[in-house]
Amino acid sequence: MRRAARFLRTHISPILWTAWVAFFVVYETIALLNRKDGDTLSENTRGLFRIRRSKAGRAIFTVAVAGGAVWFLLHILTESM
């Protein structure tokens, strides 16, 4: 029991990240295969930011994604933030 508890304490982050990625892959694959409108991440993102109807939404989305990518790149490369 102690070994299992120690294993979980030291490996909980990789386990949770792997589970999250696996859930996303399964959910998105099902959404892609069933061909229903509005259930993929891309379709929901387009709707949330009103990409097709709003230049402001398109701009906000672009800044958010580009800013997040730049931050993540700096975060990984410099091991900070």
Side-chain angles (χ1 to χ4, degrees):
M1 187 67 169
R2 286 184 182 180
R3 291 181 79 184
R6 186 175 22 182
F7 177 84
L8 280 177
R9 273 196 310 273
T10 58
H11 294 90
I12 194 67
S13 288
I15 290 169
L16 291 175
W17 279 111
T18 302
W20 183 87
V21 169
F23 172 79
F24 174 78
V25 167
V26 169
Y27 186 84
E28 190 72 7
T29 301
I30 292 168
L32 288 168
L33 294 176
N34 74 14
R35 299 192 185 255
K36 280 184 3 187
D37 286 339
D39 59 352
T40 64
L41 176 62
S42 300
E43 292 167 328
N44 280 291
T45 302
R46 287 183 197 110
L48 177 67
F49 288 96
R50 298 182 178 105
I51 299 294
R52 293 186 178 131
R53 299 183 310 273
S54 169
K55 286 185 180 182
R58 207 172 305 143
I60 291 168
F61 172 75
T62 302
V63 169
V65 170
V70 168
W71 169 82
F72 191 64
L73 181 65
L74 291 172
H75 171 68
I76 295 300
L77 293 177
T78 63
E79 298 180 26
S80 64
M81 295 186 258

